Amino acid sequence: MLEKEVINFERTVIVGIVTQNQNEEKLTEYLDELEFLTFTAGGEVIKRFSQKLERPNPKTFLGTGKMDEISVYIKEKNISTVIFDDELSPSQQKNISKILDCKVLDRTNLILDIFAQRAETSYARTQVELAQCQYLLPRLSGMWTHLERQKGESDFVVRVKLKSKRTEGLFVTELHY
């Protein structure tokens, strides 16, 4: 007997901006392509968001009002992933993840994810894994700071401590780093 296979797609929202270099027609074309890529990766696009900006906000890529609108929509509709059409800097991705409290991807990450799903040979999987590692490397800063025990001090703080020790009668002849 034949059984139907139920496929659960990840609920996503896609986001793009209209800038001086990219008009609304181009944005619609890029978002159509991004929606197709999302479907290929196993996601279902629930809604599209766009905003007109002269240039992307360096902190959050979008304005605060649009970020709030997306955040409310995500919570109401139980969205698990937000995908941005443009490449996000590591700090933008980190800030957006904190605000939206969900998985945040950009176009590059989505494409690498598709390649990882489709890689069949061990060589192809290795190449994709290398590309993913190179992409993730700048995004890993500050991940294990809770494991640090030592705190560094600036040269100024060290000199002040040395001066205070000399006044107490203690003399430090060498300072080793």
Side-chain angles (χ1 to χ4, degrees):
M1 188 161 164
L2 295 175
E3 294 181 23
K4 287 187 177 181
E5 185 179 338
V6 178
I7 300 172
N8 292 328
F9 289 105
E10 194 170 350
R11 295 170 55 86
T12 63
V13 164
I14 57 177
V15 181
I17 60 171
V18 177
T19 62
Q20 298 168 348
N21 302 333
Q22 179 175 298
N23 59 19
E24 288 187 40
E25 287 180 21
K26 271 286 194 211
L27 177 66
T28 304
E29 182 182 327
Y30 289 151
L31 289 181
D32 287 342
E33 181 184 0
L34 189 63
E35 187 171 345
F36 180 73
L37 288 170
T38 302
F39 180 74
T40 304
E44 175 188 12
V45 175
I46 306 300
K47 184 167 175 142
R48 297 176 175 201
F49 287 97
S50 63
Q51 184 176 27
K52 287 185 181 182
L53 294 171
E54 287 184 26
R55 61 187 170 284
N57 184 332
K59 285 187 176 182
T60 59
F61 190 75
L62 299 171
T64 54
K66 187 58 78 172
M67 289 301 295
D68 291 341
E69 180 184 340
I70 294 171
S71 179
V72 167
Y73 186 84
I74 286 172
K75 287 178 178 69
E76 286 176 356
K77 303 294 183 182
N78 197 23
I79 304 295
S80 59
T81 306
V82 177
I83 303 172
F84 285 80
D85 184 40
D86 296 291
E87 188 165 342
L88 299 172
S89 70
S91 62
Q92 286 173 332
Q93 194 165 7
K94 184 173 142 185
N95 292 336
I96 294 168
S97 292
K98 281 182 183 177
I99 293 169
L100 300 180
D101 195 29
C102 71
K103 186 168 40 170
V104 175
L105 303 175
D106 59 9
R107 181 180 280 268
T108 305
N109 199 345
L110 181 64
I111 291 170
L112 286 172
D113 201 32
I114 293 168
F115 280 135
Q117 290 175 8
R118 306 291 170 125
E120 293 182 7
T121 65
S122 62
Y123 182 74
R125 284 190 294 271
T126 304
Q127 289 295 319
V128 171
E129 190 173 341
L130 175 63
Q132 286 177 322
C133 289
Q134 288 174 338
Y135 174 81
L136 288 175
L137 183 62
R139 288 158 174 78
L140 295 176
S141 66
M143 295 281 284
W144 290 276
T145 54
H146 64 285
L147 298 175
E148 293 177 356
R149 289 185 178 209
Q150 288 183 312
K151 297 282 184 187
E153 294 180 336
S154 69
D155 189 39
F156 174 75
V157 174
V158 171
R159 278 190 264 132
V160 170
K161 284 185 177 181
L162 288 175
K163 286 181 183 177
S164 66
K165 285 184 180 181
R166 286 187 185 131
T167 57
E168 295 172 4
L170 301 173
F171 295 98
V172 178
T173 56
E174 287 186 26
L175 181 62
H176 298 283
Y177 288 99

